[in-house]
Amino acid sequence: TLLKPDEPDLPPVRLTAVEQVRLDAFLKARTARHEAAWRGPREAFADACRAAGQNVANLAFGIADSMSRVRPREGFDPSVVRAATRAEIRLARNEREAVQLVVMPMREKVENLQLVCEGGGDGVTVTCSPLGYVKTTDQPGYAMGFVKDGKRCCKAPGVGWWPDPILSYTNACDVAKDDVQSYWVSAHATAAAKPGVRRLQLRFRTPADGEVFSLPLTVRVDDFELSRISPLPLLTAFNPRPAGRGEAAKKLIADPKAPCNLWKCQRDAWGDFLADHYLMMDDIYSRGFPYLDQLKRMRDQGRLGVYSLGYYNPAFGDGEYWKNKHLPEFRRNVAAAKEAGILENAWIYGADE
């Protein structure tokens, strides 16, 4: 549950003595099944790390690509995570690419495990950050398709802990025994970066033990540059407001501490984040220009992509209704876009359903 500051949590559920005994037995059996299914792959991974030359007294270190979701407690796939011996990242100028390093404590918790990168420069920077995790509790009503051994399979995503946020404000975290913790290693090559190979070093450290593991990182920059603007006309609906129009939604909108309002404190950071992913801060269903300031910022940065001038729906009605109700809105938006010098990037969106 996501709670606002100072918001009380729900009261605890009170169980009868019989219900508590049954619940305890169920949880104990589930934990035993989980540990039995976890132990084999975990030990196989530790053996692979030893075979790769790691001193697995407590910590085993692996590596996975940035497209893999490595779950911390809900099973472990040795085919996804390999024993870490070296890391490689290949990217173009004006591009970001990543790889993830994976840590598993075998005997005891490790505190404040830091990952740092030594080297870089010449237009290339490398940042290291632990991943955060969210816990899902409800089984989704859909299945994901994938191909395994040449056959198409379908499987519903399980509940439990899943990797989600990159904790870019830090390079360290605690890792509990038997957990699997990923660290995100992200390389960025600027538009001015020289093509070629950089050889860097990744080092894991703790305040108590100093360096506990290191491996080489090779960053290869190719001799071409990605555009700062999307090559495709991408439109989006950025609208962090609560769903619905009832009293609950109205209450959240009026609350300055609600998430739908707190994001405004970092409005420019959100605009930059969206532009980094080839999207403008824009709402295809909006009336007027709620994010005109961000479109102007992207214009000044040379990163202005396409945006929606307004939303057209054939259900608006006949010609007279359209002229009287919606045409004035489009005219106001055209005038504002002309004044801002961004009209040539405007699109009209609609009739999607």
Side-chain angles (χ1 to χ4, degrees):
T1 303
L2 295 177
L3 300 176
K4 295 179 297 182
D6 305 322
E7 182 179 3
D9 202 347
L10 295 174
V13 177
R14 299 187 181 278
L15 302 176
T16 66
V18 173
E19 289 173 333
Q20 188 63 55
V21 169
R22 290 175 176 172
L23 178 61
D24 292 343
F26 168 77
L27 294 176
K28 183 177 180 180
R30 187 180 67 174
T31 300
R33 290 195 301 271
H34 180 275
E35 291 181 350
W38 174 259
R39 189 175 300 112
R42 171 177 162 271
E43 292 176 351
F45 172 66
D47 290 341
C49 290
R50 293 187 184 96
Q54 295 183 27
N55 178 20
V56 188
N58 179 36
L59 299 174
F61 295 89
I63 188 169
D65 61 49
S66 60
M67 299 299 291
S68 299
R69 293 181 295 180
V70 182
R71 303 180 67 186
R73 300 177 182 173
E74 311 299 328
F76 182 76
D77 187 350
S79 66
V80 172
V81 182
R82 310 178 307 279
T85 56
R86 65 183 185 277
E88 298 177 353
I89 296 177
R90 184 172 182 174
L91 71 171
R93 298 194 303 274
N94 197 36
E95 186 179 19
R96 299 176 190 271
E97 283 290 352
V99 68
Q100 56 182 318
L101 299 183
V102 179
V103 182
M104 180 190 294
M106 306 296 294
R107 293 189 294 107
E108 59 188 11
K109 172 184 178 180
V110 59
E111 295 183 347
N112 198 16
L113 181 63
Q114 302 175 342
L115 176 59
V116 297
C117 180
E118 295 179 351
D122 198 17
V124 173
T125 57
V126 177
T127 58
C128 305
S129 306
L131 284 186
Y133 301 88
V134 295
K135 188 176 185 180
T136 60
T137 56
D138 295 332
Q139 182 69 50
Y142 60 86
M144 298 183 299
F146 59 96
V147 176
K148 184 176 183 179
D149 299 330
K151 297 180 180 179
R152 181 168 176 79
C153 308
C154 219
K155 182 179 180 181
V159 298
W161 291 98
W162 289 90
D164 188 48
I166 300 173
L167 307 182
S168 56
Y169 56 85
T170 184
N171 68 339
C173 67
D174 298 343
V175 189
K177 176 181 178 294
D178 290 339
D179 272 7
V180 174
Q181 174 67 50
S182 290
Y183 286 75
W184 205 255
V185 180
S186 178
H188 175 224
T190 67
K194 295 181 179 179
V197 174
R198 280 82 167 167
R199 304 192 187 281
L200 307 90
Q201 197 74 14
L202 295 167
R203 301 186 187 277
F204 282 96
R205 299 169 178 163
T206 67
D209 302 320
E211 183 174 305
V212 293
F213 183 71
S214 68
L215 72 161
L217 167 65
T218 301
V219 178
R220 181 184 298 274
V221 179
D222 290 329
D223 192 14
F224 65 94
E225 179 182 345
L226 294 188
S227 170
R228 302 186 72 199
I229 303 171
S230 172
L232 300 175
L234 300 176
L235 296 176
T236 189
F238 180 81
N239 186 7
R241 291 168 60 90
R245 300 180 180 178
E247 290 301 318
K250 293 178 181 178
K251 186 176 180 181
L252 286 172
I253 292 172
D255 185 350
K257 293 184 178 180
C260 61
N261 293 315
L262 281 177
W263 76 270
K264 298 174 184 177
C265 300
Q266 298 183 348
R267 188 180 179 95
D268 287 355
W270 274 101
D272 292 337
F273 174 79
L274 289 166
D276 288 344
H277 292 78
Y278 281 168
L279 296 171
M280 296 296 98
M281 184 180 284
D282 181 33
D283 183 4
I284 57 178
Y285 302 110
S286 68
R287 301 278 190 253
F289 273 141
Y291 309 120
L292 182 58
D293 61 316
Q294 295 302 315
L295 298 178
K296 290 179 178 179
R297 286 185 67 242
M298 295 303 109
R299 174 203 63 194
D300 295 342
Q301 294 179 15
R303 296 204 290 170
L304 180 63
V306 301
Y307 63 91
S308 177
L309 192 66
Y311 179 69
Y312 172 74
N313 190 334
F316 283 158
D318 58 25
E320 289 302 315
Y321 178 84
W322 160 259
K323 290 179 182 178
N324 296 331
K325 179 68 175 177
H326 296 282
L327 190 56
E329 295 176 356
F330 275 85
R331 284 175 171 161
R332 287 194 298 269
N333 294 352
V334 168
K338 280 184 178 179
E339 183 179 357
I342 59 174
L343 183 60
E344 65 180 16
N345 293 68
W347 282 52
I348 293 177
Y349 179 78
D352 57 341
E353 296 174 359

